[in-house]
Structure formats: structure tokens, C-alpha cells
Amino acid sequence: MKQILITLAACLLIGCYSNNSSDKSNVLQGAWTLRQVEYPYDRPDTYYKPENTLLRLYDGDSVVYQCWLNKTESGFIIRPELRCPVTLVDKGHGEYVYIEEDSPRPLTIANDSTIVIQQQGILYTFHRADDIEEEWGADIISIIAEGTKNGPSEEAQSYVLSAKERHQANVINSFILSTVLVIILMLLIVRVAIQYRRDRQRLQLQLQQIQEVQQERPQSVRKAIESVEDAYFASGDYEVLQRRIATGQRLREADWQEIESHIRRVYPGFCSQLKGLYAMSELEYEVCLLIKLRMAPKDIAAVLARDMSTISTVRSRLYGKVFGRKGGAKEWDDFIRSIGV
């Protein structure tokens, strides 16, 4: 209740209401070290040495953690002093009323890295200490919170923060992280290798089955298939298709469906065997269909609006992916024309 009354009184003194304090937030957020104390004119100035200074860490503009900080060769010695709530009331133009331990104090923001707090006529100048906050902020706040949980103590215990130990911990953590990443990478490589091996085995089995079907097919069946094949290539449908391709006309979706229907009728197992070998793109599949229809590479390039080099690359690349070894476009054409017959 006392603190609320003091806060309201401070607002009345500066001619504002408490809602003005929300105009800016987290003004004090971060770490600050005391660099200078200016006493009234009749007393000498006092400076605090960097190796033994007062450190404040603000959690937003609502809580302050304060300790004495002694710098050593290996790190810091921390002596917790207090933890208490604070209130910041904005007067505008960089001027604030700062309330700590129920005591209102003028606070001025000199610049982005300097604040000045006045208490009983004494000016306390604090400078930002971003380097301390970034590396040690969380640890220091934890130490102060633990050391002051029973309230301020004149004989507070000191704590040592070792830069060497921090470095060793960082090295260990980096090593653990690197090891975990390497293990994950190795597991992924092994998994990909196993999957690749399974895919190759499946593909080899499919190729073997295709070969066995062709070899075991009775001569009478072969002749019947060849007869159907010859009849189709002598038909008017095939002649119309050739004329369209020869004139460079692009094929529509309905045309591709008709081509696939003809191929399924003449070569009943071709499409299923082709799709079972490899997850082909639309371009790769269309190239294979036209190869099966005995189209010349230049005609395939024309109807698909692609360069000859692109069509050659597609065919040779398909041979490499399916057979696992380097091969030419002509070898792929021979393979396509041999299956489903």
C-alpha cells in the first residue's frame, strides 16, 4: 500500500498519470555497471574501478538484480546484494521517475549506453555492459536470486564464475553436438544406402522378370504379338499420328491418352512394366511412349518442343538410373522396344 501511494504521489509531482509509464517499455533491460559517483560540490568525486564495481541487471523495467562484481584473471567473483521490484514512470524527453525500495529517484537517459540515477543529491552513472549480459547474464541473475531469497545480507556468500570452466563447458557441449550431428548424418547415409540397395535389388528383380517373360514366351505368342504390332503400324490411326508429329503439332492430353490406349492394346504389359522400373517424370514417360511407337529422336524433340540434346540426355540418363551403369540413348531405345513384346 505504501509503495502504491508513493507511485501516485510521484505521478502527481510530474503532472502525469500512471498510464504514461507504459509509453516506453524495457528502457532499463540488460546489464549496467556503476562507473561514476558525483557527490554534492562540497564533497570529492569517487570513481569505481572496473575490477570491483557494482553491477545491476534489469529484468525489463520491473525487477533489478544487484551484486558486487570483482574481475579476476580467470573470470568473476560475484557477491549478491539485492533483488527488488522497481517502477519506472516516463516524464518524457529522456527523464523518468525511478522507484526502488519505495524511494522515488530522478533517472535520466544520457544516451543509449548511459543512465544517471539521482539519490539524495548523489548522481550515480551507470554504463551498459552488454558483454557481461550476453555471456554471464543468466548465471548472475540465478546466483543473485538464490543469494537473496532470504532478503539482503551484509555477509552474502561470494560465487566464482570461471571463464575457463565456461570455455571448457562450451567445448564439451560443442563436441557433444558435433558428435550427435555426425551420428545422425551417418545414420541417414546408412539409411539412404540401404534404401538404394533395396531399390537396386527390386529393379534388378523386375528386369530379370521382364527378361524371363520374354525368353519363356512361346513362339506362337510372339508371332501373334508381332502380328498385332505390324497391323497397328500399318493402320490409319498410326499414319494420322505420324503425320501430326511430322508437321510438328503439339499433342493434347486427349492425344496422349489415345496413344497410351493404343500401346496398351498392342503391348499389354508395357506401361505397367515401364512404370514399375522407375518413378518417371511426365517428360520421361512421354519420351518412352514415343520411342515405343518407333518415332525418330528428331520427331520426339519436335512434338515435345525440346532440343535434340535434351531428348538424348533424357534417354541416356534413364538408362543409367535403371541399369545402374553408364549407357547411351540408343541402348535405352533398344531396351524400350524390347519390353512388352
Side-chain angles (χ1 to χ4, degrees):
M1 186 66 180
K2 181 180 178 182
Q3 185 174 356
I4 295 175
L5 292 175
I6 293 174
T7 302
L8 292 175
C11 291
L12 291 173
L13 287 173
I14 62 175
C16 65
Y17 295 95
S18 60
N19 61 351
N20 287 342
S21 64
S22 62
D23 291 343
K24 293 184 179 180
S25 61
N26 298 334
V27 173
L28 302 176
Q29 175 69 41
W32 302 82
T33 55
L34 182 62
R35 295 296 181 85
Q36 180 175 302
V37 178
E38 296 182 34
Y39 290 93
Y41 67 92
D42 58 343
R43 297 182 60 184
D45 293 347
T46 301
Y47 296 88
Y48 284 80
K49 297 180 180 179
E51 63 270 12
N52 184 18
T53 188
L54 191 69
L55 174 70
R56 287 188 166 192
L57 290 110
Y58 288 92
D59 184 2
D61 291 340
S62 58
V63 180
V64 61
Y65 297 84
Q66 181 170 295
C67 68
W68 284 99
L69 179 71
N70 295 316
K71 187 174 182 180
T72 67
E73 292 182 0
S74 61
F76 297 102
I77 298 176
I78 305 298
R79 183 164 60 85
E81 190 167 82
L82 67 83
R83 173 190 181 278
C84 70
V86 298
T87 303
L88 195 65
V89 181
D90 188 4
K91 295 172 58 179
H93 306 291
E95 299 292 331
Y96 295 83
V97 172
Y98 173 79
I99 304 172
E100 178 185 323
E101 296 182 322
D102 299 338
S103 173
R105 312 166 189 178
L107 182 147
T108 302
I109 298 180
N111 51 55
D112 291 341
S113 61
T114 306
I115 59 173
V116 180
I117 300 176
Q118 181 178 336
Q119 184 179 6
Q120 297 178 350
I122 305 173
L123 300 179
Y124 297 87
T125 301
F126 289 87
H127 287 193
R128 278 198 178 275
D130 292 337
D131 54 338
I132 295 178
E133 180 192 16
E134 290 174 4
E135 185 171 0
W136 303 102
D139 294 327
I140 295 176
I141 287 176
S142 178
I143 289 172
I144 297 174
E146 177 66 22
T148 60
K149 63 181 179 181
N150 297 322
S153 174
E154 294 184 0
E155 296 185 3
Q157 181 179 352
S158 295
Y159 300 83
V160 176
L161 294 177
S162 173
K164 182 178 180 180
E165 291 180 2
R166 169 62 64 85
H167 176 71
Q168 290 175 342
N170 290 338
V171 170
I172 292 173
N173 291 336
S174 298
F175 175 75
I176 293 174
L177 179 61
S178 299
T179 302
V180 171
L181 291 176
V182 169
I183 292 174
I184 292 175
L185 180 61
M186 291 179 64
L187 290 175
L188 289 175
I189 292 174
V190 170
R191 181 176 179 180
V192 170
I194 292 174
Q195 186 62 45
Y196 176 78
R197 182 177 179 181
R198 288 176 179 174
D199 291 343
R200 295 305 307 171
Q201 290 175 341
R202 177 188 59 80
L203 186 56
Q204 291 299 326
L205 180 61
Q206 289 177 322
L207 291 173
Q208 183 179 350
Q209 291 174 343
I210 291 173
Q211 187 177 13
E212 289 175 353
V213 168
Q214 292 172 340
Q215 291 177 348
E216 295 175 1
R217 184 172 289 150
Q219 186 67 25
S220 58
V221 174
R222 292 185 182 183
K223 288 185 178 181
I225 294 176
E226 290 174 0
S227 177
V228 173
E229 185 180 34
D230 292 340
Y232 172 70
F233 286 117
S235 67
D237 291 337
Y238 183 69
E239 184 178 353
V240 170
L241 178 62
Q242 276 192 315
R243 282 201 302 269
R244 292 193 61 185
I245 293 176
T247 56
Q249 296 184 40
R250 294 293 302 274
L251 299 179
R252 298 165 299 180
E253 184 177 353
D255 296 326
W256 285 110
Q257 292 175 353
E258 185 178 353
I259 288 173
E260 193 172 29
S261 176
H262 286 313
I263 289 178
R264 289 184 184 276
R265 185 173 66 253
V266 179
Y267 309 107
F270 174 77
C271 292
S272 59
Q273 290 175 342
L274 185 63
K275 291 181 178 179
L277 291 175
Y278 168 70
M280 296 184 182
S281 66
E282 182 178 1
L283 174 62
E284 291 171 335
Y285 184 65
E286 291 174 349
V287 168
C288 292
L289 293 182
L290 295 178
I291 292 172
K292 194 63 177 175
L293 292 179
R294 301 179 183 177
M295 297 295 172
K298 64 180 182 63
D299 294 330
I300 296 176
V303 77
L304 295 177
R306 305 285 178 142
D307 295 334
M308 275 284 294
S309 60
T310 300
I311 301 303
S312 296
T313 300
V314 168
R315 291 146 63 206
S316 59
R317 185 177 59 206
L318 280 170
Y319 186 91
K321 289 181 178 180
V322 171
F323 288 94
R325 60 178 184 271
K326 189 175 181 180
K330 178 66 168 54
E331 292 174 284
W332 180 252
D333 293 352
D334 294 339
F335 169 71
I336 289 296
R337 288 169 183 158
S338 68
I339 62 177
V341 179

